[in-house]
Amino acid sequence: MKALTLKAPGGLNNILVSDIADPGEPGPGEIRVGIGASSLNFHDLLVANGSIPTEDGRILMSDGGGTVEAIGEGVTEFKVGDSVVSCFFPQWPAGSADASVGTFANTPGDGINGMAAQFVVRHQNAFTLAPKGWTHAESATITTAGLTAWRALVVDGKVKPGDTILTLGTGGVSIAVIQIANMLGAKVIITSSSDEKLERAKKLGASEGVNYRTYAQWSDKVLELTDGKGADHVIELGGPGTLEQSIHAVRVGGHISLIGVLTGRSGEVPTALLMAKQARLQGLVVGSRRNQQDYVAALEANQIHPLIDKTFAMEELAAAFEHQTSGSHFGKICVEW
Amino acid sequence: MKALTLKAPGGLNNILVSDIADPGEPGPGEIRVGIGASSLNFHDLLVANGSIPTEDGRILMSDGGGTVEAIGEGVTEFKVGDSVVSCFFPQWPAGSADASVGTFANTPGDGINGMAAQFVVRHQNAFTLAPKGWTHAESATITTAGLTAWRALVVDGKVKPGDTILTLGTGGVSIAVIQIANMLGAKVIITSSSDEKLERAKKLGASEGVNYRTYAQWSDKVLELTDGKGADHVIELGGPGTLEQSIHAVRVGGHISLIGVLTGRSGEVPTALLMAKQARLQGLVVGSRRNQQDYVAALEANQIHPLIDKTFAMEELAAAFEHQTSGSHFGKICVEW
Amino acid sequence: MKALTLKAPGGLNNILVSDIADPGEPGPGEIRVGIGASSLNFHDLLVANGSIPTEDGRILMSDGGGTVEAIGEGVTEFKVGDSVVSCFFPQWPAGSADASVGTFANTPGDGINGMAAQFVVRHQNAFTLAPKGWTHAESATITTAGLTAWRALVVDGKVKPGDTILTLGTGGVSIAVIQIANMLGAKVIITSSSDEKLERAKKLGASEGVNYRTYAQWSDKVLELTDGKGADHVIELGGPGTLEQSIHAVRVGGHISLIGVLTGRSGEVPTALLMAKQARLQGLVVGSRRNQQDYVAALEANQIHPLIDKTFAMEELAAAFEHQTSGSHFGKICVEW
Amino acid sequence: MKALTLKAPGGLNNILVSDIADPGEPGPGEIRVGIGASSLNFHDLLVANGSIPTEDGRILMSDGGGTVEAIGEGVTEFKVGDSVVSCFFPQWPAGSADASVGTFANTPGDGINGMAAQFVVRHQNAFTLAPKGWTHAESATITTAGLTAWRALVVDGKVKPGDTILTLGTGGVSIAVIQIANMLGAKVIITSSSDEKLERAKKLGASEGVNYRTYAQWSDKVLELTDGKGADHVIELGGPGTLEQSIHAVRVGGHISLIGVLTGRSGEVPTALLMAKQARLQGLVVGSRRNQQDYVAALEANQIHPLIDKTFAMEELAAAFEHQTSGSHFGKICVEW
């Protein structure tokens, strides 16, 4: 079968379309899934470009949507023909994060082989059902970006109707944030360097857009838009380069979901302001399998589909990553067989 | 009556023993309290030394323990003779922090006149009952340092028996952390630059002490003491100068209470590590009046008294602050009439 | 001024349109409100018909919407001309319930004089701002019925998008439940004895309706509608007469908000089933002032207005109660000057 | 090997000491445990006496303490020689209860074979480490009674230092409640029909004892002991026969853990009082595997051992059940090989 593998030491030109052994039939507790599509995240890019070292020949990609082709003995959650979506942390069933999710050792496309293959055989815990009526490409966006947004808002943030959420940029997580906020009756302020993207975000349901080229001190604009109070929740996708303003923009007693490493791994933080605001800075990495099941239920109930910027053929994965690094996208980039 | 007031622009030599007008009888909803004692906190020092500007003639000190001398019409919570302790945020009855507690505008000894007076008349919401059998000096330690420790561990941290807490230094908050952790069946690792202080902390109930002079990379020692797992909760009293190691020392999914500004107001923070650890960095400033009532109930039920390093006469407040800045103390410094 | 007062020992024929003294100007911390409307709840009926004894001459009604006419010294939250809505528990600012809200001693229209007057003067804590653009009759529905629904779903129930809520009947609380569930992306199953009312509920946003005349064992129908799993949340408005089926209808680990006393004060409950389901039965009575502020923010952000069945003149309050007892209404019944 | 099996249709005289096939070597993910002891719970009794039907030849008992004798491929949590304790719900790793724990289909000694055998081979998820230095009989008390008490107080109840807990009777759960409450700095009021047992409970750390023979209306005594306020938490072990008084005895906003079925499966409940008190009645059945790991950590950190009333030889299991039904015990009854 075909798979997209990474030749050590990585780099987009080391992404190969390989012909590797079929994984065969599922053993006890396992399912065989025909993968239809994957979607791209910053974490996948860091593995692909070699920033996160992985072993030679690693099958890439954490996200996978597909169809169950066979089930092993004792599998109760799935039947043949079910549409499913992969889990970022197959070893995390439910509950809060602990040491077992402190690394990517069990994450497909990083510590273990990923979803950029025609077929995978995995324990049933490595997948959940996908929303009914979704394409595999749509489903694939759930694994990383969608579940990250869900956890930030619902699991950690406990957003209420009427709350104001600030999200940074118009990538896949931010777009999912708008959609989930709409489900929740919350308002969204979004930032971008492009007025055109801000307009698109408002059409999707954002209440306000702030162009951070126009307003270098965009956090002041957020305060102005919230009558001086600040946002209840900030989805901090930038990292240290934006965190100072995010702390400035959050309300007293507010919540900041710390997700991004786009601008670096470390930086100057106004700790006294974070303290004075009695705000919470919550680091998070995706979520548990049960979180994913809850998110799928929410998507089905609300009939919401993800926004896909562009879909490439799986074999063009390197080109898809180049599109991602260009920063011109709005929403998710997918690849499919 | 006598009061300790601060002549603008502050500085320990501008602390005056003044003779000012008696506050008189309590109006509706008010109580008149004969103040017996106060205790010193870093925040009081910042006001006294002029780092936090305040108005000329401000009566100093947030903490106050005393006896109810008269009650106004409609006062139901107190009766004459009750021992009481002042509240840091009289305007914060219960619930989570919001904009009303984003400044010190209503905090005694900062935005309003403080407790370093022979008598005060305040709304009954500005006090709670003190633990039965405590001296006024002991009670005064609750307002700021004690309640900060309680909130960090119980309200925000939700510490369970068996959890491991790391606390930094041997000041008043850290000592209260040890005592509350003992109530809670949790273990404490404490840091200090003095082996002698570490020994005293262990006698009080700390499980382990780490001398940060001996172990410059003290967070490694904390990891070693927790079988590589890290502390469940970190009471971060240092500020930016210690936060990097605190993040290194906390477990995956753990909790860091951000309290301290001792080492500055801003600094380099390893945000990617905080994210990867899925840890929470929670800024906090003392707590609500109901938190204080809960803490008083816990102290009474567990028959625990605070550790007072030294008590000065109220008139010697400047000398008490000098003792505080020397850093030689262990536990709380108090002043009393 | 005019007010609707209750002559002891109560009864609808003892509701009088009285001419009583104007409350005058607001004192410190107080506001004077020109009341425009009130709305009817089961609790108001129990006071009016004498089931809950109250003192002779009591001004009726807990709910009040009106306009601020004057503000006392130190009032910061309101200005003249603001539209406001009264609080059911003026003494409950925030946080969880405690002894102070264990009785109706401070509830307008029960322990103290109510809102069925042309003017009231109260402490500013007895009101919150009303949603912008609402009529006073609409705002009045928030105090009791609306806030009860909000607390059940948001504060206690922590409903997530995709959850399924079961609510009983089509009174004011149930209709608010549908509207809040819509904000939250949750599904609603509603019961009624009238197919016509079920149709109206579906038009408002309910997903499913169950006629409990058609399905005497309506809980089985709920299980069927949830693939055998049960509802995540049950808004139990019936009391002991419906609780057995509500427990049957809730999912394992689910939540039941216990609100109703319509069918009595005590009854047979399948406690072993509640235990086996590991479900939570949460008693609640309205909520705190901060809950009300949050709810108002949610209503404004989502541009949702309450459903008013019929509005009577205030002087026709007895007729309004008779309409309520007929059970023919759908949504809220209001009275206005 | 030997095992205690139940001949259909159950009854204590149908408990057989059987010679059955050794379970052999562990497969992938499995461990082989040499069982040293079990302990008795009401649920085990209901299976043994036939009240809960089970299949002919079922190996009895949910609780098991023993030593790991061999580990299968891929087992990472245990090594040979580890002392371990069985899980009541092997399929419940963490998080809140859902449909998967709505029955006893996967519970040892009920839906599947239990721990009353010399050896068992199970997936590693069916055990956790036992506290260091505990006997197998002591460890066995954790599975059901100990974990139930832990969940009620810590997981569901979120008991704080200074809280007051009311627990009913002096069985295994109640004694564990006292011990955990002591860890937590909380006070315990305990009921019994025996003054002698009340004295023993006080020696263990209970603050107050109420003899329900002396005080038929024992809830009034609880109110008196709490200055009229009521208990913060009630551990309701009796069932419908005691629930009315438990609701009477809990404070406004308090928490009742509904555990017991001793007095029946259904009964009269004062629902209006539960509502007016805004109290929570939380059904629970033991807890998750992570709860058990947390409890073991707490026991180790606090050096607390369970109170064992009497230990029988495993072969005398029927006699042990007879001792249990006599009601004369105080603490746990164990059986060991």
Side-chain angles (χ1 to χ4, degrees):
Chain A
M1 68 162 190
K2 284 193 291 184
L4 278 288
T5 61
L6 187 70
K7 195 173 140 186
L12 298 191
N13 57 341
N14 278 324
I15 300 177
L16 308 180
V17 182
S18 302
D19 190 7
I20 63 168
D22 185 282
E25 288 308 299
E30 292 181 338
I31 59 174
R32 176 184 168 97
V33 178
I35 297 295
S38 185
S39 85
L40 281 67
N41 301 288
F42 192 59
H43 173 253
D44 298 300
L45 176 64
L46 294 178
V47 174
N49 71 18
S51 299
I52 296 177
T54 185
E55 78 180 38
D56 185 53
R58 171 67 74 235
I59 300 177
L60 291 165
M61 308 308 285
S62 298
D63 300 357
T67 304
V68 175
E69 300 201 334
I71 65 171
E73 185 195 330
V75 167
T76 52
E77 285 198 52
F78 304 104
K79 59 182 194 304
V80 172
D82 280 347
S83 285
V84 293
V85 49
S86 66
C87 294
F88 191 88
F89 288 121
Q91 77 277 23
W92 188 6
S96 54
D98 69 3
S100 70
V101 295
T103 72
F104 298 134
N106 294 293
T107 295
D110 189 332
I112 65 171
N113 276 328
M115 295 292 145
Q118 287 183 292
F119 308 101
V120 302
V121 170
R122 299 290 159 98
H123 192 275
Q124 63 176 335
N125 290 347
F127 284 86
T128 69
L129 288 172
K132 284 187 185 59
W134 281 35
T135 66
H136 294 321
E138 288 177 326
S139 297
T141 67
I142 289 173
T143 306
T144 306
L147 188 54
T148 296
W150 174 262
R151 175 165 166 212
L153 296 182
V154 176
V155 183
D156 290 348
K158 296 177 177 58
V159 168
K160 298 184 305 295
D163 282 357
T164 297
I165 298 155
L166 167 67
T167 190
L168 306 187
T170 56
V173 175
S174 257
I175 300 305
V177 163
I178 295 175
Q179 295 182 315
I180 298 166
N182 286 349
M183 287 188 208
L184 280 163
K187 292 176 285 186
V188 176
I189 301 172
I190 190 164
T191 66
S192 174
S193 60
S194 152
D195 284 339
E196 188 215 327
K197 286 185 174 177
L198 291 175
E199 280 314 303
R200 293 185 65 186
K202 285 197 214 169
K203 274 181 196 134
L204 265 180
S207 305
E208 303 282 352
V210 178
N211 189 318
Y212 59 80
R213 292 253 163 89
T214 313
Y215 298 96
Q217 196 65 18
W218 46 268
S219 53
D220 285 344
K221 187 73 186 168
V222 174
L223 291 176
E224 183 192 321
L225 291 168
T226 54
D227 300 322
K229 180 190 151 207
D232 298 293
H233 303 266
V234 180
I235 310 301
E236 170 45 80
L237 291 154
T242 51
L243 183 53
E244 179 177 356
Q245 289 209 48
S246 290
I247 293 173
H248 190 59
V250 78
R251 75 161 167 87
V252 176
H255 187 278
I256 304 172
S257 295
L258 181 65
I259 301 168
V261 292
L262 287 173
T263 58
R265 302 186 60 79
S266 177
E268 184 84 6
V269 174
T271 51
L273 182 58
L274 184 65
M275 182 185 85
K277 286 216 168 175
Q278 308 203 39
R280 168 180 298 175
L281 182 60
Q282 174 71 56
L284 76 153
V285 181
V286 197
S288 74
R289 188 168 183 260
R290 191 182 291 177
N291 295 156
Q292 185 162 310
Q293 291 168 318
D294 290 341
Y295 182 39
V296 168
L299 290 164
E300 275 192 357
N302 288 278
Q303 299 282 325
I304 284 172
H305 287 249
L307 187 80
I308 296 179
D309 174 79
K310 191 170 177 186
T311 302
F312 292 78
M314 186 74 82
E315 292 87 344
E316 296 178 289
L317 180 57
F321 278 125
E322 274 158 18
H323 179 57
Q324 180 186 21
T325 52
S326 78
S328 65
H329 59 292
F330 183 90
K332 290 293 294 179
I333 303 163
C334 293
V335 286
E336 63 185 5
W337 291 114
Chain B
M1 68 165 190
K2 283 193 292 183
L4 278 288
T5 62
L6 188 69
K7 194 173 141 187
L12 299 192
N13 55 341
N14 279 324
I15 302 177
L16 308 180
V17 183
S18 303
D19 191 4
I20 62 168
D22 186 282
E25 287 308 297
E30 293 183 335
I31 57 174
R32 176 184 168 97
V33 178
I35 297 295
S38 184
S39 86
L40 282 67
N41 301 287
F42 192 58
H43 173 253
D44 298 302
L45 176 63
L46 294 179
V47 173
N49 69 19
S51 300
I52 296 178
T54 188
E55 75 182 41
D56 185 54
R58 171 69 73 235
I59 300 176
L60 292 167
M61 309 306 284
S62 298
D63 300 357
T67 304
V68 175
E69 301 202 333
I71 65 172
E73 185 196 330
V75 167
T76 52
E77 285 198 53
F78 304 104
K79 58 181 196 304
V80 172
D82 279 347
S83 286
V84 293
V85 49
S86 67
C87 294
F88 191 87
F89 288 121
Q91 77 275 27
W92 188 6
S96 54
D98 67 5
S100 71
V101 295
T103 72
F104 298 134
N106 294 293
T107 294
D110 189 332
I112 62 172
N113 276 328
M115 295 292 145
Q118 286 183 294
F119 308 101
V120 301
V121 169
R122 299 288 160 98
H123 193 274
Q124 63 176 335
N125 290 348
F127 284 85
T128 69
L129 288 172
K132 285 188 183 60
W134 280 35
T135 67
H136 294 320
E138 288 176 327
S139 297
T141 67
I142 288 173
T143 304
T144 307
L147 188 55
T148 295
W150 174 262
R151 174 163 167 213
L153 296 181
V154 176
V155 183
D156 291 346
K158 296 177 177 56
V159 168
K160 298 185 305 296
D163 282 357
T164 297
I165 297 155
L166 168 65
T167 191
L168 307 187
T170 55
V173 175
S174 257
I175 299 306
V177 162
I178 295 175
Q179 294 182 316
I180 297 167
N182 285 350
M183 289 188 207
L184 279 164
K187 292 176 286 188
V188 175
I189 302 173
I190 191 165
T191 65
S192 173
S193 60
S194 151
D195 283 340
E196 188 214 327
K197 287 185 174 177
L198 292 174
E199 279 315 302
R200 293 184 65 187
K202 285 198 215 170
K203 274 182 196 135
L204 264 180
S207 305
E208 302 282 353
V210 177
N211 189 318
Y212 60 81
R213 293 255 162 88
T214 314
Y215 298 97
Q217 195 64 20
W218 45 268
S219 54
D220 285 345
K221 188 71 186 170
V222 173
L223 290 176
E224 183 191 320
L225 290 169
T226 54
D227 300 322
K229 181 191 150 207
D232 297 293
H233 303 267
V234 179
I235 309 302
E236 170 47 80
L237 291 155
T242 51
L243 183 53
E244 179 177 357
Q245 289 209 47
S246 289
I247 293 173
H248 190 58
V250 77
R251 75 159 167 88
V252 176
H255 187 278
I256 304 173
S257 295
L258 180 65
I259 301 169
V261 291
L262 287 173
T263 59
R265 301 187 60 79
S266 177
E268 183 85 6
V269 174
T271 52
L273 182 59
L274 183 65
M275 182 185 84
K277 286 215 167 175
Q278 308 201 39
R280 169 179 300 175
L281 182 60
Q282 174 72 55
L284 75 154
V285 181
V286 197
S288 73
R289 187 166 184 259
R290 191 182 291 175
N291 294 156
Q292 184 162 310
Q293 291 168 318
D294 290 342
Y295 182 38
V296 168
L299 290 163
E300 275 191 357
N302 287 278
Q303 299 282 323
I304 285 172
H305 287 250
L307 188 80
I308 295 178
D309 174 80
K310 190 170 177 186
T311 301
F312 293 78
M314 186 73 83
E315 292 86 344
E316 297 177 289
L317 180 58
F321 277 125
E322 273 157 20
H323 180 56
Q324 180 187 21
T325 52
S326 78
S328 65
H329 60 293
F330 183 90
K332 291 292 295 178
I333 303 163
C334 294
V335 285
E336 62 186 6
W337 289 114
Chain C
M1 67 165 190
K2 285 194 290 184
L4 278 289
T5 61
L6 187 69
K7 195 174 141 188
L12 298 191
N13 55 341
N14 279 323
I15 301 177
L16 308 180
V17 183
S18 304
D19 190 6
I20 61 168
D22 186 281
E25 288 307 298
E30 292 182 337
I31 58 175
R32 176 184 168 97
V33 178
I35 297 296
S38 184
S39 86
L40 282 66
N41 302 287
F42 192 58
H43 174 253
D44 298 301
L45 176 63
L46 294 178
V47 174
N49 70 18
S51 300
I52 297 177
T54 186
E55 76 181 41
D56 184 54
R58 171 67 75 232
I59 301 176
L60 292 166
M61 308 307 285
S62 298
D63 300 357
T67 305
V68 175
E69 301 202 334
I71 65 173
E73 186 196 330
V75 167
T76 52
E77 284 198 53
F78 303 104
K79 58 181 193 306
V80 172
D82 279 347
S83 285
V84 294
V85 48
S86 67
C87 295
F88 191 88
F89 288 122
Q91 77 276 26
W92 188 5
S96 53
D98 68 5
S100 70
V101 294
T103 72
F104 298 134
N106 294 292
T107 294
D110 188 333
I112 63 171
N113 275 328
M115 295 291 143
Q118 286 183 293
F119 308 101
V120 302
V121 169
R122 299 289 159 99
H123 192 276
Q124 62 176 333
N125 290 347
F127 284 87
T128 69
L129 288 172
K132 285 188 184 59
W134 280 35
T135 66
H136 293 321
E138 289 177 325
S139 297
T141 68
I142 289 173
T143 304
T144 307
L147 188 55
T148 296
W150 174 262
R151 175 163 166 213
L153 296 181
V154 176
V155 183
D156 290 348
K158 295 178 178 60
V159 168
K160 296 184 306 296
D163 282 357
T164 297
I165 297 154
L166 168 65
T167 191
L168 305 187
T170 55
V173 175
S174 257
I175 300 306
V177 162
I178 295 175
Q179 294 182 315
I180 297 168
N182 286 349
M183 288 188 208
L184 280 163
K187 291 176 286 189
V188 175
I189 301 172
I190 190 164
T191 66
S192 174
S193 61
S194 152
D195 284 339
E196 189 215 325
K197 286 186 175 178
L198 291 175
E199 279 315 302
R200 292 185 65 187
K202 285 197 213 168
K203 275 183 195 133
L204 264 181
S207 304
E208 304 281 352
V210 178
N211 189 318
Y212 59 81
R213 294 252 163 89
T214 314
Y215 298 97
Q217 196 64 20
W218 45 269
S219 54
D220 285 344
K221 188 71 185 169
V222 174
L223 290 176
E224 184 192 320
L225 291 169
T226 54
D227 300 322
K229 182 191 150 206
D232 298 293
H233 303 266
V234 180
I235 310 302
E236 170 47 80
L237 291 154
T242 51
L243 184 53
E244 178 176 358
Q245 289 209 48
S246 289
I247 294 173
H248 190 58
V250 77
R251 75 161 168 86
V252 175
H255 187 278
I256 304 173
S257 295
L258 180 65
I259 301 169
V261 291
L262 288 173
T263 59
R265 302 187 59 80
S266 177
E268 184 84 7
V269 174
T271 51
L273 182 58
L274 184 66
M275 182 185 83
K277 286 218 168 174
Q278 308 201 38
R280 169 180 301 175
L281 183 59
Q282 174 72 55
L284 76 153
V285 182
V286 198
S288 73
R289 187 166 184 259
R290 191 183 291 177
N291 295 156
Q292 184 162 309
Q293 291 168 318
D294 290 341
Y295 182 38
V296 168
L299 290 164
E300 274 192 358
N302 288 276
Q303 298 282 325
I304 285 172
H305 287 249
L307 188 79
I308 296 179
D309 174 81
K310 189 169 177 186
T311 303
F312 293 77
M314 187 74 81
E315 291 86 346
E316 298 176 289
L317 181 57
F321 278 124
E322 273 156 21
H323 180 57
Q324 181 187 20
T325 53
S326 77
S328 65
H329 59 294
F330 183 90
K332 291 294 294 178
I333 303 164
C334 295
V335 285
E336 61 187 4
W337 290 114
Chain D
M1 67 163 191
K2 285 194 289 186
L4 276 290
T5 62
L6 187 70
K7 196 173 139 185
L12 298 191
N13 56 341
N14 278 324
I15 300 176
L16 308 179
V17 183
S18 303
D19 190 6
I20 63 168
D22 185 282
E25 287 307 299
E30 293 181 337
I31 58 175
R32 176 185 168 96
V33 178
I35 297 295
S38 184
S39 86
L40 281 67
N41 302 288
F42 191 59
H43 173 252
D44 298 302
L45 176 64
L46 294 178
V47 174
N49 69 19
S51 301
I52 296 177
T54 186
E55 77 181 41
D56 184 54
R58 171 67 75 233
I59 301 176
L60 291 166
M61 309 305 287
S62 298
D63 301 356
T67 304
V68 175
E69 299 201 334
I71 65 173
E73 186 196 328
V75 168
T76 51
E77 284 198 52
F78 303 104
K79 59 182 194 305
V80 172
D82 279 348
S83 286
V84 293
V85 50
S86 67
C87 294
F88 191 88
F89 288 122
Q91 77 276 25
W92 188 6
S96 54
D98 67 6
S100 71
V101 296
T103 72
F104 299 134
N106 294 293
T107 294
D110 189 332
I112 63 172
N113 275 328
M115 295 291 144
Q118 287 183 292
F119 308 101
V120 302
V121 170
R122 300 288 161 99
H123 192 276
Q124 62 176 333
N125 291 347
F127 284 87
T128 69
L129 288 172
K132 286 188 184 59
W134 281 34
T135 66
H136 294 320
E138 289 176 325
S139 297
T141 67
I142 289 173
T143 304
T144 306
L147 188 54
T148 295
W150 174 262
R151 175 163 166 213
L153 297 181
V154 175
V155 183
D156 290 347
K158 295 178 178 58
V159 169
K160 299 184 304 296
D163 281 357
T164 297
I165 298 155
L166 167 66
T167 190
L168 306 187
T170 56
V173 175
S174 257
I175 300 305
V177 162
I178 295 174
Q179 294 182 315
I180 297 168
N182 286 349
M183 286 188 207
L184 280 162
K187 292 175 285 188
V188 176
I189 301 172
I190 191 164
T191 66
S192 174
S193 61
S194 151
D195 284 340
E196 187 215 328
K197 286 186 175 178
L198 291 174
E199 279 314 303
R200 292 185 65 188
K202 286 197 215 170
K203 274 182 196 135
L204 263 180
S207 305
E208 304 281 353
V210 177
N211 190 319
Y212 60 81
R213 295 253 162 89
T214 314
Y215 299 96
Q217 196 65 19
W218 45 268
S219 54
D220 285 344
K221 188 73 186 167
V222 174
L223 291 176
E224 181 192 321
L225 291 168
T226 54
D227 301 321
K229 180 191 151 205
D232 298 293
H233 304 265
V234 179
I235 310 302
E236 170 46 79
L237 291 154
T242 51
L243 183 53
E244 179 177 356
Q245 289 209 47
S246 289
I247 293 173
H248 190 59
V250 76
R251 75 160 166 88
V252 176
H255 187 278
I256 304 173
S257 295
L258 180 65
I259 301 168
V261 291
L262 287 173
T263 58
R265 301 186 60 77
S266 178
E268 183 85 6
V269 174
T271 51
L273 182 59
L274 184 65
M275 183 186 83
K277 287 216 168 175
Q278 308 203 37
R280 169 180 299 175
L281 182 60
Q282 174 71 55
L284 77 152
V285 182
V286 198
S288 73
R289 187 168 184 259
R290 190 181 292 176
N291 294 157
Q292 184 162 308
Q293 291 169 317
D294 289 342
Y295 182 38
V296 168
L299 290 163
E300 275 191 356
N302 288 277
Q303 298 281 324
I304 285 172
H305 287 249
L307 187 80
I308 295 178
D309 173 80
K310 189 169 178 186
T311 301
F312 293 79
M314 187 73 81
E315 292 87 344
E316 297 176 289
L317 180 57
F321 278 124
E322 275 156 19
H323 180 56
Q324 181 187 20
T325 52
S326 77
S328 64
H329 59 293
F330 183 90
K332 292 293 294 176
I333 303 163
C334 295
V335 285
E336 64 186 4
W337 291 115

